[in-house]
Amino acid sequence: MMVVSAILMLSGCASIGHEFPAGQVSTIRIGATTQNDIYNTFGSPWRTGIDNGMKTWTYGHYRYSLFSEGETEDLVIKFDARGVVTSYVFNTTKRSK
């Protein structure tokens, strides 16, 4: 957190994670979309983990600024043992156009 604070103080903004094609979230189908499909659409996840025994991939891009509103987007996808999507959550602070 101190590193983020230092970056903010020097530049007025900080970016964490990496951008991903958020417009493609609607193509995810629970019970049908595979890990390979997700990788081909979104690339490498920013973070990986385990939630209730299921593999999770997280895509996130967080931009913070001292001089304007920040923007955040994140997508968390859970996979079953076969590598098929069991659930996902997408959140954004970007306004719809």
Side-chain angles (χ1 to χ4, degrees):
M1 192 65 182
M2 290 185 66
V3 172
V4 172
S5 297
I7 292 170
L8 283 170
M9 288 172 53
L10 293 174
S11 68
C13 64
S15 186
I16 300 169
H18 55 80
E19 291 187 44
F20 62 95
Q24 296 298 312
V25 170
S26 63
T27 66
I28 300 171
R29 299 288 178 248
I30 293 171
T33 305
T34 66
Q35 255 182 303
N36 194 49
D37 296 331
I38 295 296
Y39 183 85
N40 288 334
T41 301
F42 297 98
S44 296
W46 177 53
R47 295 184 319 181
T48 61
I50 303 289
D51 185 6
N52 291 322
M54 290 186 281
K55 183 180 285 189
T56 64
W57 284 6
T58 301
Y59 295 86
H61 187 243
Y62 311 92
R63 188 181 62 76
Y64 302 100
S65 176
L66 290 176
F67 307 111
S68 64
E69 259 187 63
E71 290 183 341
T72 65
E73 288 187 311
D74 54 60
L75 170 64
V76 179
I77 306 167
K78 291 183 186 179
F79 301 95
D80 65 17
R82 298 175 301 129
V84 176
V85 174
T86 60
S87 67
Y88 68 93
V89 176
F90 174 69
N91 293 294
T92 182
T93 60
K94 292 184 178 182
R95 296 175 191 237
S96 298
K97 294 180 181 181

